[in-house]
Amino acid sequence: MSECARALNMMSEFVDGELGAEQSAWFKEHLEVCAECRVALSEFTRIDNQLTAWGQRLSPPAKAREQLAARLALFPVQPRAIRWMPVAAVASIAAALVLAVIPPHEKPVPVDREAAAAFVEIPYLPPLDPRENSTIVRMNIRVAALIAAGYRVAADPDTVVPADVLVGEDGRAHAVRVLSGIEWKGTGD
């Protein structure tokens, strides 16, 4: 790097007073022998001073924040409206999944209340946050869908079983509780 390029790289720090003693001394010595760098420093300082002046003119007057807060306090706080579009989208997706999972010609396996197990988290998904609101949705699910989701189930893949699905605020299913007497082996490896 040439001495002039080094000096140009140091100008901003020099003008702001951020150069160390050794670098500042070198910079001043270079300015004594280099007319081009003196002109560049003069122009740089002029532009820096103009920008600083513009910034001071643009800064808000004293107590501007307090005045704005006082004006905003005059307006009543409106409750936030519920946005129904995302809710409707999640409901329609859930309905489509239910229709896709249950074939019309098959009868679901009856609910066996004694065989109902606890919820088992769906593998490969992050667990439900304990502070997150969730909903339990009762639906009939094909065993093949459970196997595809990573569960180990010893039953005919075409069998349809009743299950409770734990759905989080994000609309994703996080856990399943099968309500029939199929052989449930938990999740895959």
Side-chain angles (χ1 to χ4, degrees):
M1 174 184 304
S2 72
E3 288 189 349
C4 289
R6 181 178 173 200
L8 289 173
N9 285 334
M10 298 171 96
M11 279 188 194
S12 174
E13 293 172 336
F14 179 77
V15 170
D16 293 338
E18 296 174 352
L19 284 181
E22 186 177 309
Q23 290 178 325
S24 183
W26 178 89
F27 187 76
K28 289 176 183 176
E29 286 176 17
H30 178 74
L31 289 177
E32 289 176 8
V33 295
C34 183
E36 288 180 23
C37 286
R38 280 195 305 272
V39 170
L41 177 63
S42 172
E43 189 64 20
F44 183 87
T45 304
R46 184 183 66 76
I47 292 171
D48 186 60
N49 290 338
Q50 283 180 347
L51 289 174
T52 302
W54 287 342
Q56 290 172 349
R57 281 184 285 194
L58 294 176
S59 46
K63 298 188 180 181
R65 288 180 187 246
E66 292 83 7
Q67 292 171 356
L68 179 61
R71 285 184 189 168
L72 290 176
L74 298 175
F75 298 102
V77 176
Q78 298 291 330
R80 192 171 158 195
I82 296 174
R83 297 178 190 245
W84 289 104
M85 195 57 132
V87 174
V90 169
S92 63
I93 290 171
L97 285 174
V98 169
L99 293 175
V101 170
I102 304 174
H105 62 279
E106 295 183 24
K107 293 185 179 179
V109 176
V111 174
D112 182 2
R113 299 280 179 213
E114 294 175 8
F119 278 100
V120 179
E121 290 183 350
I122 296 177
Y124 318 114
L125 281 181
L128 189 65
D129 188 310
R131 297 176 301 271
E132 184 177 357
N133 291 327
S134 60
T135 304
I136 297 174
V137 178
R138 170 100 16 115
M139 62 176 60
N140 294 319
I141 301 175
R142 252 188 217 266
V143 171
L146 293 172
I147 294 170
Y151 290 108
R152 293 186 339 197
V153 181
D156 180 21
D158 290 329
T159 304
V160 177
V161 295
D164 289 335
V165 179
L166 187 66
V167 179
E169 289 177 342
D170 58 359
R172 291 192 301 178
H174 288 273
V176 175
R177 174 175 54 199
V178 175
L179 301 173
S180 69
I182 65 171
E183 190 175 339
W184 182 262
K185 297 181 179 181
T187 59
D189 296 325

